[in-house]
Amino acid sequence: MTTIWIIGGGGHAKVVIDAARSSGAFAVAGILDDDERAWGTERGGPLVAGPIAPETLRRLGVTHAVIAIGNNRVREAIAARLDGMVDWATVVHARAYVAAGATLGPGTVVCAGAIVQPDARIGRHAIVNTAASVDHDCELGDCVHVAPGAHLAGNVTLGEGAFVGIGASVIPGRAVGRWATVGAGAAVIADVPDFATAVGVPARARSAQAATIPDM
Ligand code: JB2
């Protein structure tokens, strides 16, 4: 069993802690979060021990971690900041299904009820959230998020940082571009360009003027 730390102490952390524990592969040592009001508080057992900083990792002897923050840009930034300092854990809930031949990158989380079918390839720090599905031969880039109940048919491509909202679906073979957003419940039947937002049934895309990058 590997001891891991959870990075981020909000709602998604609860889901990731549950997935990690259920898998039987991990013991959760604690949580790191930059919000000092959270320090010393607990999340279903593990305590928030301090900030997301190299000094904290050294002080606590953190060797393995997973970033449990829903925002794709924030996960990307934290991963870049800590890369090389920890090994990123790949967490699959005991009640998720990941088929033979599917691959999951370091730091990726597959939540309860999610399904990943054969030969799907998923990059680093991705989230396949509750009861989402990723069908055969899909290719998902780093830091994507397939929200709860969203479904990707076979051979779908998600570029780095793409977000597919709750209950949305993408028909076979379509591509959702880098850092694009698919709105809740949308039905994607045509490719979505990089950085665009696509909403509705069928989904219509509008280009973004600029990607919003949250503060670190
Ligand atoms: O820019 C940031 C930042 N933004 C939020 N930099 C750093 N270093 N930390 C950040 N955080 C931290 O992530 C906050 O301190 C907070 O503890 C945590 C985010 O918690 P929150 O509950 O707001 O979001 P979440 O990511 O846990 O959950 C979101 O995503 C999930 C997938 C929510 O939308 C959930 O409803 C959703 N299920």
Side-chain angles (χ1 to χ4, degrees):
M1 191 177 283
T2 305
T3 297
I4 57 168
W5 285 75
I6 306 296
I7 301 204
H12 190 53
K14 298 179 191 177
V15 172
V16 175
I17 290 167
D18 178 67
R21 284 177 164 163
S22 79
S23 73
F26 301 108
V28 177
I31 299 165
L32 303 180
D33 195 292
D34 284 338
D35 181 357
E36 60 183 273
R37 293 167 303 179
W39 299 347
T41 64
E42 57 110 26
R43 302 282 180 279
L47 284 180
V48 184
I52 306 163
E55 311 77 62
T56 322
L57 301 183
R58 278 192 289 272
R59 177 169 57 83
L60 297 169
V62 178
T63 58
H64 292 76
V66 60
I67 306 171
I69 294 176
N71 184 293
N72 294 348
R73 286 285 187 188
V74 173
R75 281 200 315 290
E76 181 201 41
I78 292 173
R81 185 146 50 106
L82 301 184
D83 254 355
M85 304 191 62
V86 292
D87 287 333
W88 299 115
T90 301
V91 176
V92 178
H93 194 283
R95 290 176 183 254
Y97 178 73
V98 178
T103 57
L104 308 174
T108 283
V109 175
V110 181
C111 297
I115 295 173
V116 179
Q117 291 287 29
D119 297 330
R121 295 176 298 282
I122 303 182
R124 299 160 60 86
H125 305 290
I127 302 170
V128 182
N129 217 323
T130 311
S133 65
V134 175
D135 224 288
H136 65 89
D137 299 297
C138 283
E139 181 141 12
L140 278 52
D142 296 342
C143 299
V144 304
H145 180 177
V146 184
H151 299 298
L152 309 182
N155 289 297
V156 164
T157 302
L158 299 187
E160 179 195 23
F163 173 73
V164 180
I166 191 163
S169 52
V170 183
I171 70 166
R174 298 301 183 266
V176 176
R178 297 174 59 244
W179 303 101
T181 298
V182 174
V188 173
I189 61 169
D191 290 355
V192 177
D194 292 350
F195 303 106
T197 297
V199 298
V201 180
R204 296 193 192 290
R206 61 181 163 75
S207 298
Q209 298 307 309
T212 306
I213 302 175
D215 293 337
M216 274 302 295

